[in-house]
Amino acid sequence: QVQLVESGGGLVQPGGSLRLSCVVSGFDLPFYHIGWFRQAPGKEREGVSYISVSDGKIGYSDSAKGRFTISRDDVKDTVSLQMNNLKPEDTAVYYCAGDDLSLKPLDPKFYDYWGQGTQVTVSS
């Protein structure tokens, strides 16, 4: 069974940092993309960042650019999201996900495999 397990969420003050990790297991074929998404209460799920498994191409949402960094550790089958300078509007449940092929890698509709989510709360 394919599993994606997120960790690293928590409570942090504005301006602080968190590092989220997503461990992927149980899937013999590589994903085309692995992405990070988030969903705040009352809002639709939105893409935050993605990384291509094949060529390492990286993308970010406008809100994430300059603050978040996605990376991949192939040995550990882990994709991480380093989040710096966090803002209250970053508060959400963060999910990692894998897709087969997407021309819109920040669109959650194109992803088939999802983790359980990890809560990130940015508040003073």
Side-chain angles (χ1 to χ4, degrees):
Q1 182 179 359
V2 176
Q3 290 188 334
L4 298 92
V5 181
E6 304 95 332
S7 63
L11 175 64
V12 64
Q13 295 184 358
S17 299
L18 285 173
R19 183 175 183 270
L20 307 182
S21 296
C22 173
V23 179
V24 182
S25 64
F27 192 53
D28 294 330
L29 300 177
F31 294 116
Y32 195 90
H33 298 105
I34 296 177
W36 281 98
F37 301 82
R38 67 187 184 188
Q39 188 166 20
K43 296 184 178 181
E44 295 184 353
R45 189 168 299 184
E46 63 176 348
V48 177
S49 182
Y50 69 87
I51 185 167
S52 171
V53 175
S54 60
D55 61 10
K57 184 178 180 180
I58 291 171
Y60 299 95
S61 66
D62 289 339
S63 64
K65 290 179 181 178
R67 300 189 299 129
F68 296 0
T69 302
I70 192 170
S71 62
R72 183 182 67 197
D73 186 334
D74 291 334
V75 175
K76 298 180 179 179
D77 290 329
T78 300
V79 174
S80 298
L81 184 70
Q82 178 67 43
M83 305 188 295
N84 298 327
N85 192 25
L86 285 162
K87 304 175 181 179
E89 53 262 42
D90 295 318
T91 296
V93 177
Y94 283 71
Y95 302 87
C96 65
D99 73 349
D100 295 324
L101 176 63
S102 177
L103 297 178
K104 297 181 178 181
L106 288 177
D107 189 340
K109 295 180 180 177
F110 289 90
Y111 286 75
D112 299 320
Y113 302 93
W114 293 85
Q116 83 289 345
T118 185
Q119 177 71 49
V120 172
T121 302
V122 184
S123 176
S124 60

